[in-house]
Amino acid sequence: MTKIFKRTYSYAFLIPAAIVYLLIFIFPTVMSFFFSLTRWDLTTWQFIGLDNFKMFFKEASLLIGFKNTFIYAFVTCVLKVVIGLLLGVLLTSKIRAKGYLRSVIFFPTLLSTIAVGLTFSMLMHPSQGMINAALNVIGITGPDWLGDTRIALLSVAFVDVWKGVGFAMVIYIAGILSIPQDYYEALQIDGGGSFRKFWNIIVPLSRPATNSVIILSFIGGLRSFDLVWAMTKGGPGFTTDLIASIIYKQYQGGYYGLATAGNVILFLFVTALALPLYSYLNRKEVDL
Amino acid sequence: MSKRIRQLGGETVAILLTIIIFWIPFYFVIVNALKDKKESALLSLSWPSTTHLWENMKAVITARDYMLLRAFYNSTVLTVLSIVVLVMICAMAGYVMQRRTDRATPWLNFLVLSGLIIPPAIVPTIWVLNGLGLFKTMTGLVLVEVALGFPFGVLLYKGFMATIPREIDEAAVVDGCSGFKLFYKIILPLLQPVTATIVVTSSVGIFNDFTNPLYFFPGAKNATVQLTLYNFQSQFVTQWNLLFMNILLITLPPLVLFIFFNKKIVAGMTAGSVKG
């Protein structure tokens, strides 16, 4: 029997996938630990120990990437969870415009990040942009959204939420629709209002959806590059630089060893934050 | 009665909000794509005094020796090739990984799952591609897209394989099918719903990808549509009408896809993300 089984489900089926995945993904990842310790021009390398990492932690322009990456991932993640949940609740209720609203909110998910980034950098133009023009009408002088060092990173994060919240909403809709009707009936017998329905049934029972949204948007936030690159290129100064954009800048400058060290740091950063978060969320889910 | 009025009011507010938050940015892109250079420089929402649809379109398409057309060609080839390869290898891998359980299983699962979390090591990947003679080539970029799309694809296939009863395999084996024949004749056709999901979601992802072509497919001759848009940004800095026309043109493919596959896309997006 095992012989038939081995012949039917032969590992030969894995060979094409294994070649591509090991060669193009796993092998470079493993090698990155070695190359991060070198000065490197793609053909020759010189072993320099931990110098690349020392440089990363000493230079303010490199170090700022950690802070920004964390803030960016945190802000986008929280907003997507909160707004996504509210939209999910609203669009599973008995409103008639549901189909229209779902489609419109979801559509930006499919757009090109570069196109969205460029469009919003026009809308956020300090003197001519639509956003400040609208604020002017109600008597507020809008800030320089992308030029002010204090808010530039948040402006980019808001555009990320604009583009990505539809995805969170869809996950929540799937999660909320899978809650059995019995719970609502029980609540009705007990005489609970819509707030209790939201707080005591929907929030706890859509937990798997919440976990998915948190994990996906947090990891996505930690790794993001294209939106910030399209909108600010890390500026003004280095105030919107994320680890991923620093890696690109070092790569462009020909500092391959340093860029790879940045990659290793991003790897460790993502793993150190995502793994505990993942196991914490999963433990909570079991308790339920 | 008052409840109904309140609900109607709520819906009106919701629709008005979507107009402000979502429709205005689109409208803004469209009207500015139709204006001449001077009018678009104002970045206003007003309707163009004279429309320049064909003129602007021609200018964008002919810019830099028809680079946009070449970019559309490149992006299409990239998307189609990547998806064909991705579907083939993910379906085969998902089939074996779900059906066969032995001591290697946890290790294989771990390897695949780690691909969802780990950020790709970019410069070492360039080094590998360079060593293979595939850096700056379409084949190289396709391999990168496939390698990075593999974990998600295989998870979807594995999940779906679990719903196909083993009795079907057994019946086929009794009838004399085994190995590759069983897979191609029986299993692959049954996997069609998941295949459709992967085709739709990955084609959006790969067509819109910016980071990988930026690193692995540099050079003016190569350029995918996302790169073109990004490069045109500096060239069109005083001609925003052309920049907006470019944005409009590259937004069309996802828009068409969306109109035809709205439900499918949403189903596919959720299938991969919520367990249980």
Side-chain angles (χ1 to χ4, degrees):
Chain A
M1 192 59 204
T2 32
K3 236 176 157 178
I4 292 176
F5 160 84
K6 278 194 174 155
R7 211 173 53 219
T8 314
Y9 305 125
S10 156
Y11 276 145
F13 282 93
L14 281 181
I15 290 172
I19 291 173
V20 178
Y21 190 59
L22 290 177
L23 197 63
I24 308 290
F25 184 74
I26 301 286
F27 179 59
T29 302
V30 174
M31 287 309 286
S32 68
F33 284 87
F34 168 74
F35 284 124
S36 67
L37 303 173
T38 64
R39 190 176 294 130
W40 183 32
D41 65 1
L42 282 185
T43 46
T44 57
W45 58 76
Q46 186 195 349
F47 193 79
I48 54 165
L50 292 171
D51 282 5
N52 286 330
F53 291 93
K54 278 187 202 143
M55 195 153 163
F56 245 100
F57 289 105
K58 243 179 23 210
E59 292 222 359
S61 61
L62 300 174
L63 202 56
I64 195 173
F66 288 94
K67 198 178 118 211
N68 286 345
T69 305
F70 184 77
I71 293 175
Y72 187 85
F74 184 77
V75 169
T76 51
C77 182
V78 168
L79 288 178
K80 282 177 192 172
V81 167
V82 173
I83 303 175
L85 173 63
L86 293 178
L87 287 173
V89 172
L90 180 72
L91 298 183
T92 46
S93 67
K94 282 189 196 111
I95 69 171
R96 271 163 305 174
K98 181 156 78 175
Y100 159 79
L101 290 171
R102 282 184 190 179
S103 305
V104 170
I105 297 169
F106 180 74
F107 181 62
T109 309
L110 304 175
L111 292 174
S112 144
T113 313
I114 300 299
V116 169
L118 293 180
T119 306
F120 269 89
S121 53
M122 306 283 185
L123 292 171
M124 288 176 168
H125 192 285
S127 55
Q128 290 171 291
M130 280 295 311
I131 295 180
N132 282 354
L135 289 177
N136 260 336
V137 172
I138 49 172
I140 303 172
T141 312
D144 183 356
W145 297 99
L146 297 171
D148 187 331
T149 52
R150 284 162 305 172
I151 57 167
L153 187 67
L154 291 179
S155 304
V156 180
F158 283 128
V159 177
D160 190 325
V161 173
W162 181 88
K163 186 177 182 323
V165 79
F167 187 48
M169 170 196 77
V170 165
I171 296 176
Y172 268 114
I173 288 176
I176 291 169
L177 288 180
S178 68
I179 298 173
Q181 285 297 315
D182 317 7
Y183 290 98
Y184 302 127
E185 280 159 23
L187 186 78
Q188 222 165 20
I189 292 166
D190 290 351
S194 46
F195 178 74
R196 283 200 49 200
K197 180 175 148 190
F198 174 73
W199 196 248
N200 293 342
I201 297 180
I202 294 178
V203 171
L205 290 177
S206 60
R207 185 96 208 189
T210 308
N211 291 352
S212 300
V213 174
I214 291 179
I215 290 287
L216 287 173
S217 58
F218 195 64
I219 293 176
L222 290 177
R223 290 163 57 160
S224 51
F225 165 72
D226 39 11
L227 190 64
V228 90
W229 196 249
M231 292 185 73
T232 64
K233 297 209 173 54
F238 304 100
T239 47
T240 58
D241 254 331
L242 305 176
I243 297 179
S245 63
I246 289 175
I247 293 174
Y248 183 67
K249 284 181 178 173
Q250 300 306 328
Y251 163 75
Q252 263 188 324
Y255 302 106
Y256 297 140
L258 198 59
T260 308
N263 239 134
V264 169
I265 290 171
L266 182 60
F267 170 92
L268 297 174
F269 199 56
V270 171
T271 322
L273 291 173
L275 279 188
L277 183 69
Y278 189 72
S279 66
Y280 172 77
L281 292 175
N282 272 342
R283 209 171 44 233
K284 281 273 185 154
E285 204 171 305
V286 173
D287 285 348
L288 206 83
Chain B
M1 192 61 193
S2 78
K3 203 180 162 192
R4 267 183 61 189
I5 291 171
R6 225 174 54 202
Q7 202 195 343
L8 204 68
E11 282 181 39
T12 317
V13 170
I15 291 170
L16 281 177
L17 275 179
T18 62
I19 290 174
I20 294 172
I21 299 173
F22 296 102
W23 286 107
I24 288 185
F26 291 123
Y27 177 76
F28 172 72
V29 169
I30 293 169
V31 290
N32 280 294
L34 299 177
K35 290 176 182 172
D36 64 13
K37 184 178 153 186
K38 228 169 103 193
E39 252 187 310
S40 78
L42 299 173
L43 291 179
S44 75
L45 272 185
S46 59
W47 189 255
S49 53
T50 47
T51 53
H52 298 262
L53 174 68
W54 295 113
E55 213 179 306
N56 289 349
M57 206 183 271
K58 223 176 100 191
V60 170
I61 290 173
T62 53
R64 291 207 198 169
D65 203 12
Y66 294 94
M67 186 142 104
L68 191 64
L69 290 186
R70 208 157 51 229
F72 261 104
Y73 172 76
N74 281 337
S75 284
T76 313
V77 171
L78 170 70
T79 309
V80 172
L81 281 183
S82 302
I83 284 173
V84 170
V85 179
L86 195 64
V87 163
M88 284 321 293
I89 72 168
C90 289
M92 280 160 53
Y95 161 68
V96 171
M97 285 180 65
Q98 197 276 324
R99 286 297 199 245
R100 182 165 176 168
T101 42
D102 55 28
R103 266 187 306 179
T105 313
W107 293 100
L108 289 175
N109 286 336
F110 173 75
L111 262 187
V112 171
L113 271 177
S114 62
L116 290 175
I117 298 177
I118 298 174
I122 292 151
V123 193
T125 310
I126 293 177
W127 174 71
V128 169
L129 289 174
N130 213 2
L132 297 168
L134 294 174
F135 182 44
K136 298 186 189 177
T137 65
M138 182 58 86
T139 319
L141 186 56
V142 167
L143 288 179
V144 170
E145 297 289 0
V146 169
L148 299 183
F150 171 72
F152 183 68
V154 97
L155 282 186
L156 284 191
Y157 272 117
K158 247 178 70 183
F160 195 78
M161 270 306 291
T163 67
I164 299 175
R166 266 170 189 273
E167 282 78 11
I168 290 181
D169 306 17
E170 282 159 20
V173 171
V174 170
D175 286 347
C177 257
S178 77
F180 281 90
K181 216 169 153 196
L182 166 68
F183 175 72
Y184 283 110
K185 289 246 159 96
I186 315 287
I187 303 293
L188 196 57
L190 290 174
L191 292 174
Q192 210 192 351
V194 167
T195 305
T197 299
I198 292 180
V199 168
V200 174
T201 53
S202 315
S203 57
V204 175
I206 295 172
F207 188 84
N208 281 340
D209 190 12
F210 170 70
T211 316
N212 292 318
L214 181 70
Y215 276 113
F216 304 110
F217 207 48
K221 238 181 72 193
N222 293 337
T224 62
V225 288
Q226 309 302 327
L227 285 182
T228 329
L229 178 56
Y230 176 73
N231 293 334
F232 279 172
Q233 185 203 358
S234 45
Q235 192 188 350
F236 292 160
V237 79
T238 52
Q239 291 169 287
W240 284 344
N241 54 337
L242 299 188
L243 186 66
F244 285 115
M245 179 52 81
N246 198 337
I247 291 176
L248 198 61
L249 286 177
I250 76 165
T251 307
L252 286 180
L255 181 69
V256 170
L257 201 77
F258 180 67
I259 290 168
F260 285 104
F261 297 105
N262 186 3
K263 287 233 169 73
K264 186 114 253 165
I265 293 172
V266 172
M269 293 271 174
T270 35
S273 45
V274 187
K275 35 186 187 133

